[in-house]
Amino acid sequence: MIYLDYSATTPISLEVLDTMNRTYKEYIGNPNSINALGIKSNELLHSAIKQIADLFNILENEITFTSSSTESNNLAIIGTALKYYKKGKHIIVSRLEHPSIYSICDYLKTIGFEIDYVNNDKEGLIDFEHLRTLIRKDTILVSICAVNSETGVRQPLKMIRQIIKKVNAFTIFHSDMTQAIGKTTISLHDVDLASISSHKIYGPKGIAMLYKASDIKLTPLIYGSGSSNELKPGTPALPLIVGFSKALRLANEDLEKKEKYISLLNDRICTRLKKYYNIKINKTRYSIPHILNISVMDVMPETLMHALDKEGVYVSTNTACSSGEISKAILAIYGDQKRAKHTIRISLSSMTTTGEVTQFLEIFDKCYASLKVLVK
Amino acid sequence: MKRVVIIKYGELSTKSDNINFFLKTLKNNVDKKLEGFNYEIKYDHGRMLIFTEDVLQVKNKLQEVFGIHEICDGYLYEERSLESIKTNVLNIIKDLEFNTFKITVKRSDKNYMGTSITIATDIGAYVLKNIPNIKVDVTSPDINVIVEIRLNEVLIYAKGIPGLGGYPVSTLGKGLLMLSGGIDSPVAGYLAIKRGVKIEAVYFDSPPHTSPMALKKVEDLARVLAKYNGGEVKIHVVCFTKIQEEIIKNIPKNYLITMMRRMMYRISALICGSINAHAIINGESIGQVASQTLKSMQVINEAVKMPVLRPLCTYDKLEIIELSKKIGTYDISIRPYEDCCTIFVPEHPVINPDVNLAHEYETLVDFDSLVYEAIKGRTILHIKDHKENNFSDLL
C-alpha cells in the first residue's frame, strides 16, 4: 500500500494510540467529578491542555475542544455572527476555503448576513488591495485559511491581520489552520480565532480545537453544564484530548527538517510529471510541499484515482470533503474550468519513503498510460 | 547594536548601608526568574542592565519580580559620533506614540565634546525636524529619551513599563502565611512578599469535612504566589480535624470560631519557631466576619506572642477582589470548595469574645497534646511556580 492522502487524514501515531489506551484504562474518572478519581483525571486534563497552550504560547483558557475542524469553524463563524450581529452583519471569506466555511456562510446568508469573497492573485495569495476595499464598518469577521487544502498555498496571516486591523480594528480574524498545523510554523497570535484538527497530525479522529484569543467573545452554540468552558459544556473527552495533545507535541518536533525532506519528495514527483504535456502542476511559490495538486487534463480524475486504488496507491480528487465537485481553489487561482475539473491531490508526509515515491511514479505512469489510450 | 533591558530600582535605592545586599538579592531573584534564557547582567547602584536578545519575554518575566520600579527597552551602540546618536535616537522613537518628548543626555565620559545640555538640544532639534507634529516638553513629556554616553558605547532608551515596586523578596526575613483558599489570604501573602518578606504557608486541612479539591486549590494559589516568592512556596499542611471536632463537641457554639482561630494561631506560631519566621501573616480585614472585629482579633491574637501582620486589615472587600484579579488568584479562590473555616460556622458567633472565657474553655480539652500532635503530623509541600508535569510518560 502506498498512502498519499495524508491531507485527507493521517494514520494515528502508535505512540499516541498507546497513550490513549492507557488513558482509557487508567483514568476512568470524570474530570468534572470531585472524587479522587475525578481529580486525577482533571489533573491529566489540565496537563494536556497546558502542553497545548505552551506549544502555541497561548493561555489555557483560550482553548476549546470540539469534535472536528468543521465544528470549530462553525463555532468560530456562527459564534461571532450571533455575538456581534448588532455591530454588523458583514463577513468576508476567501475563495480558497474548506467547503465547510462556504456551507456556514450559505446558512448565515439565509438569516440576513452578507458575505463577500476576497479575490486572490495568480499565485493564490489573497489580493490585499481587494481585501482592504471589502472591509467595512460593519464587517465583523474575516475568515481566511492558513493553508489551502487543495493546493497547499500558504497565506501570510500576519500581513493579512495588519491590513484587517488597520481598516477596522474591531473586525475579528479567523483562520482555518487545519492544513497548516504540524506542517509549517504558525503563530496563533496572528489571528483571533483558529481551527485546528487532530486527525491531520497523526492524532485521534473526533477531536479538534478552536483557539479563541481571550479578548474575543463568542455566543455558544451548545448549552449544558459541567465544564469550565462555556463554549463546550459536557464531559471532556479525556483520552481524545490527551492523544491530541501528544500528537501536537510530536507533530511540532523537527518541523523544519520534515518540511525540507518532504520538499525533496515533492520536487521528485514534479520533475517526473512535468514530462507529460497534459498534466498541469498546480503549484505556486506559496505552496507548502506536503500538498501536491495536479490536473490531468485528458483523463477523468476519478477514473485515474480508481485505477491507482486498484494498484494500492491512494490519492484524492479535490479534497475528501467535496469529491465530485469542481475545484473552487484551482478555479480561483487559474480561472480554468477544465483544469479545475481534472484535479488530483497527492499529499505527502515525513513518513513517505523515497521508495514509495519511486513506486508511485511507476504505477502512475502505468495507469495513466492505459487510460490515455482509451481517451484517444 | 545590542539590545538591553534596563531595570530601575524602586525604594531600595534609598538604602545606603546595605544596598549591596539588596542589589545582590535582586540579582539572584532576577537570575532565578530568567532561568533558561540567554542573557548577561551588569549592575551598579543606579540600575541593572540585562543584555539579551529575548527582550519581550525577559520584560514579561521581570514584571513578576519585586524591587523593580521600571523596566526599559534599551539599545547599546558602539558608534559614538553625534551624527550616529541622532539617527539612532530617531530610529528608536519614530514608531512610538507620543506628542511631547524630552531628550536627557548623561555623559559618564566627560571628555565627550560639548555639554550634556548642548548635545540634548542638538538631538532634540534633529528629532523635531524629522517627526511632524511633536513638541518638546521638559517638565512632563510623553516620552523621555535617555542618552547615556559612556566611554566605549552609547546607551539609548526611551519608554519603560512599570515594575512591581516593593523590595526584593528575601531581603526582609521570613513570614508564615495562613493560607485558606479564600480570596483574602493569597492577596495578603502577595503584599507581604512585596515588602521583601519571603513566605511559607500553613494550610489547615480537615478531612473528611474538607475535600481534597480544597487542598488542590490551595496548592494552585501557592503556585501563583511562588512566581513572586522566588519560585517556590512551601505549604505546611496541618491536619486540623481532631482539634476541630473536639472544639465542636466540648465548647459552646458561639465560641467555636474564636477557639478554632486561637488554635490555628498557636500552631502557626510554633511552626514559625521551627522555620525561623518572624511573623504570622493572614488575610484578616477589620469587621469582615465575626472573628475579625477588633475585639475578636485581640482575643485571638492573645494566644500567641509574636507579630501577626494583616496587610489587608484596612482594605474593603472590593479592593481585595480587584487586587486578587490583578495577581491572578481570584479565579482560583472562587472555586467552590469549602475550607475548614467555612464549615461548621455557628449561626451567631460571638463578636465580643471574652479572653477569660476563652482561657477557661481551653481547659476543657487537652489542646496542648492535640496541637503538638497536629504539628508533628504535618506534611510539607514544595510548590513550584511552574507545575511539574506528572504525566510526561503519557503526554
Side-chain angles (χ1 to χ4, degrees):
Chain A
M1 179 186 89
I2 301 172
Y3 186 73
L4 296 176
D5 202 13
Y6 289 95
S7 287
T9 192
T10 51
I12 193 163
S13 135
L14 294 181
E15 272 180 83
V16 171
L17 191 60
D18 178 53
T19 280
M20 290 173 59
N21 254 320
R22 283 185 46 204
T23 309
Y24 271 117
K25 286 184 203 156
E26 293 166 25
Y27 292 82
I28 60 167
N30 185 329
N32 295 339
S33 300
I34 59 169
N35 58 36
L37 290 180
I39 293 171
K40 201 173 133 195
S41 293
N42 193 281
E43 280 176 353
L44 174 58
L45 175 68
H46 280 283
S47 292
I49 296 174
K50 178 151 195 315
Q51 176 163 284
I52 299 176
D54 290 347
L55 269 174
F56 291 119
N57 197 14
I58 57 173
L59 302 174
E60 287 160 59
N61 61 16
E62 293 178 323
I63 297 169
T64 300
F65 292 107
T66 61
S67 66
S68 61
S69 271
T70 295
E71 187 186 330
S72 296
N73 288 342
N74 270 268
L75 178 55
I77 299 177
I78 302 180
T80 302
L82 296 182
K83 185 76 196 175
Y84 296 105
Y85 69 92
K86 282 180 185 155
K87 275 194 178 168
K89 292 183 137 192
H90 183 233
I91 292 172
I92 300 169
V93 301
S94 80
R95 297 181 192 279
L96 301 168
E97 297 302 311
H98 184 264
S100 66
I101 300 276
Y102 298 121
S103 304
I104 297 164
C105 291
D106 288 345
Y107 162 67
L108 286 177
K109 276 189 218 164
T110 67
I111 56 169
F113 283 84
E114 193 184 337
I115 313 290
D116 264 318
Y117 300 87
V118 59
N119 294 336
N120 48 267
D121 65 12
K122 286 277 165 265
E123 304 275 4
L125 224 55
I126 293 302
D127 180 341
F128 300 147
E129 214 27 68
H130 189 225
L131 176 64
R132 200 172 284 141
T133 56
L134 283 180
I135 300 168
R136 316 189 305 219
K137 235 185 182 165
D138 61 340
T139 306
I140 52 171
L141 179 78
V142 174
S143 179
I144 292 172
C145 63
V147 167
N148 169 253
S149 61
E150 293 175 60
T151 59
V153 168
R154 186 186 169 175
Q155 301 295 340
L157 298 179
K158 194 178 194 133
M159 211 187 279
I160 295 173
R161 178 195 180 82
Q162 282 167 355
I163 290 168
I164 296 170
K165 301 288 174 180
K166 203 161 183 186
V167 185
N168 185 345
F170 294 105
T171 302
I172 293 170
F173 182 26
H174 166 253
S175 180
D176 181 350
M177 295 188 172
T178 311
Q179 294 290 358
I181 295 295
K183 296 185 178 125
T184 181
T185 35
I186 278 282
S187 166
L188 293 190
H189 296 289
D190 292 342
V191 300
D192 301 311
L193 299 164
S195 306
I196 295 166
S197 178
S198 154
H199 76 109
K200 309 278 194 204
I201 54 160
Y202 313 92
K205 302 176 201 309
I207 184 88
M209 64 172 260
L210 178 72
Y211 157 73
K212 177 183 78 65
S214 39
D215 54 336
I216 305 287
K217 300 266 177 297
L218 296 179
T219 297
L221 305 185
I222 299 169
Y223 294 84
S225 65
S227 166
S228 53
N229 186 337
E230 62 156 11
L231 293 174
K232 185 68 177 181
T235 302
L238 184 63
L240 294 178
I241 292 169
V242 172
F244 184 16
S245 177
K246 183 165 188 170
L248 270 170
R249 176 175 70 76
L250 295 174
N252 278 290
E253 279 173 6
D254 297 324
L255 206 59
E256 279 164 36
K257 240 193 247 167
K258 291 186 217 160
E259 198 173 352
K260 249 186 210 153
Y261 169 71
I262 294 168
S263 226
L264 292 177
L265 299 182
N266 183 306
D267 286 346
R268 255 187 80 187
I269 299 175
C270 285
T271 318
R272 179 71 165 268
L273 295 184
K274 263 182 199 153
K275 71 175 185 180
Y276 290 112
Y277 174 73
N278 274 322
I279 292 182
K280 295 198 183 329
I281 293 176
N282 304 319
K283 179 175 168 182
T284 83
R285 60 192 163 115
Y286 301 108
S287 298
I288 60 166
H290 309 68
I291 297 175
L292 175 58
N293 194 299
I294 58 171
S295 292
V296 186
M297 305 296 274
D298 49 355
V299 171
M300 284 310 288
E302 281 82 6
T303 320
L304 181 54
M305 186 192 78
H306 292 314
L308 290 169
D309 256 13
K310 257 196 174 157
E311 301 288 332
V313 173
Y314 304 98
V315 297
S316 47
T317 61
N318 268 335
T319 71
C321 301
S322 66
S323 295
E325 285 173 33
I326 181 167
S327 162
K328 282 199 177 72
I330 300 296
L331 188 64
I333 295 175
Y334 297 98
D336 178 342
Q337 288 273 351
K338 190 171 178 201
R339 192 166 176 169
K341 218 185 255 178
H342 282 254
T343 60
I344 283 197
R345 182 183 68 182
I346 301 153
S347 41
L348 303 163
S349 148
S350 58
M351 287 159 68
T352 309
T353 63
T354 47
E356 282 180 320
V357 168
T358 312
Q359 236 182 321
F360 159 71
L361 288 170
E362 279 167 18
I363 295 170
F364 184 91
D365 281 350
K366 198 175 94 189
C367 295
Y368 182 43
S370 67
L371 292 172
K372 233 174 15 177
V373 178
L374 299 177
V375 181
K376 277 179 184 168
Chain B
M1 187 264 286
K2 274 197 219 161
R3 297 296 305 270
V4 200
V5 175
I6 298 138
I7 290 179
K8 295 191 184 166
Y9 312 132
E11 240 172 273
L12 62 126
S13 53
T14 58
K15 300 274 170 285
S16 57
D17 291 344
N18 48 8
I19 185 161
N20 286 334
F21 165 67
F22 275 81
L23 293 181
K24 215 172 147 197
T25 310
L26 179 62
K27 181 184 176 286
N28 283 342
N29 294 348
V30 169
D31 276 334
K32 240 182 246 168
K33 188 52 90 179
L34 297 183
E35 227 174 62
F37 285 99
N38 239 333
Y39 67 94
E40 195 192 325
I41 293 185
K42 282 184 187 162
Y43 69 98
D44 55 29
H45 289 191
R47 69 244 184 300
M48 195 173 278
L49 303 180
I50 304 177
F51 300 90
T52 178
E53 287 304 311
D54 306 311
V55 173
L56 214 67
Q57 285 131 305
V58 164
K59 274 166 69 185
N60 281 340
K61 285 279 172 194
L62 291 175
Q63 281 180 291
E64 294 170 359
V65 179
F66 282 117
I68 296 176
H69 169 66
E70 198 181 2
I71 306 160
C72 301
D73 230 343
Y75 302 82
L76 196 67
Y77 300 91
E78 278 177 19
E79 180 58 65
R80 295 199 323 147
S81 72
L82 188 56
E83 281 316 302
S84 68
I85 293 177
K86 284 181 190 171
T87 35
N88 289 333
V89 166
L90 186 66
N91 274 334
I92 290 170
I93 65 169
K94 67 171 193 277
D95 293 328
L96 300 177
E97 271 182 36
F98 65 97
N99 295 317
T100 58
F101 76 105
K102 170 187 177 181
I103 307 276
T104 308
V105 172
K106 296 177 183 172
R107 292 173 309 151
S108 55
D109 173 15
K110 294 290 181 199
N111 291 324
Y112 197 88
M113 52 160 192
T115 67
S116 294
I117 292 178
T118 55
I119 300 170
T121 319
D122 243 20
I123 302 171
Y126 182 76
V127 170
L128 278 174
K129 207 165 70 186
N130 285 285
I131 304 180
N133 303 327
I134 54 166
K135 277 188 198 150
V136 173
D137 180 350
V138 290
T139 48
S140 59
D142 294 342
I143 57 166
N144 181 7
V145 186
I146 295 165
V147 178
E148 289 189 28
I149 302 171
R150 297 142 69 100
L151 209 49
N152 297 310
E153 57 211 6
V154 177
L155 177 65
I156 303 174
Y157 53 100
K159 231 174 178 165
I161 48 171
L164 282 182
Y167 289 120
V169 64
S170 293
T171 51
L172 286 150
K174 199 191 275 178
L176 182 70
L177 172 70
M178 298 170 73
L179 187 57
S180 69
I183 293 169
D184 304 341
S185 52
V187 178
Y190 172 85
L191 290 174
I193 300 169
K194 179 176 173 179
R195 298 305 289 174
V197 178
K198 175 118 182 170
I199 62 160
E200 293 190 17
V202 56
Y203 170 68
F204 296 95
D205 198 16
S206 198
H209 309 301
T210 56
S211 122
M213 286 305 264
L215 174 59
K216 204 179 158 281
K217 179 171 153 186
V218 167
E219 287 175 27
D220 288 346
L221 288 171
R223 187 165 294 112
V224 176
L225 292 179
K227 271 201 304 205
Y228 306 100
N229 198 43
E232 186 189 85
V233 170
K234 281 184 202 152
I235 309 179
H236 300 256
V237 182
V238 174
C239 181
F240 201 59
T241 312
K242 222 168 172 182
I243 296 177
Q244 200 168 10
E245 287 177 353
E246 288 301 316
I247 293 174
I248 290 164
K249 275 188 248 165
N250 298 300
I251 289 169
K253 271 205 171 60
N254 58 345
Y255 267 70
L256 199 140
I257 300 289
T258 311
M259 300 311 289
M260 263 173 53
R261 297 292 292 174
R262 277 179 69 93
M263 290 309 128
M264 287 179 180
Y265 271 48
R266 271 173 69 173
I267 292 170
S268 302
L270 288 164
I271 294 176
C272 279
S274 73
I275 62 169
N276 198 23
H278 310 302
I280 296 170
I281 301 148
N282 66 35
E284 289 174 349
S285 169
I286 299 169
Q288 199 180 98
V289 290
S291 66
Q292 295 176 20
T293 61
L294 281 182
K295 181 71 185 160
S296 274
M297 283 189 194
Q298 186 194 14
V299 171
I300 294 166
N301 211 147
E302 196 263 352
V304 298
K305 282 201 179 79
M306 69 184 310
V308 177
L309 307 183
R310 301 174 178 87
L312 300 177
C313 69
T314 62
Y315 278 51
D316 289 350
K317 191 74 185 180
L318 288 176
E319 291 172 320
I320 301 173
I321 287 175
E322 199 179 319
L323 196 47
S324 74
K325 282 182 179 164
K326 204 183 111 202
I327 62 182
T329 53
Y330 182 76
D331 287 338
I332 304 170
S333 290
I334 57 170
R335 286 184 208 156
Y337 308 107
E338 295 196 87
D339 60 51
C340 67
C341 290
T342 50
I343 47 175
F344 305 122
V345 178
E347 255 181 66
H348 296 291
V350 61
I351 53 171
N352 264 318
D354 176 5
V355 74
N356 296 321
L357 217 48
H359 284 172
E360 202 157 302
Y361 291 149
E362 251 162 57
T363 61
L364 298 177
V365 179
D366 181 9
F367 281 118
D368 286 347
S369 44
L370 285 177
V371 164
Y372 175 74
E373 208 179 299
I375 289 177
K376 217 178 118 199
R378 77 183 192 272
T379 48
I380 301 175
L381 305 175
H382 296 252
I383 306 297
K384 306 273 182 208
D385 56 352
H386 53 275
K387 201 168 185 175
E388 276 158 43
N389 194 342
N390 300 322
F391 303 101
S392 49
D393 57 324
L394 271 175
L395 289 167

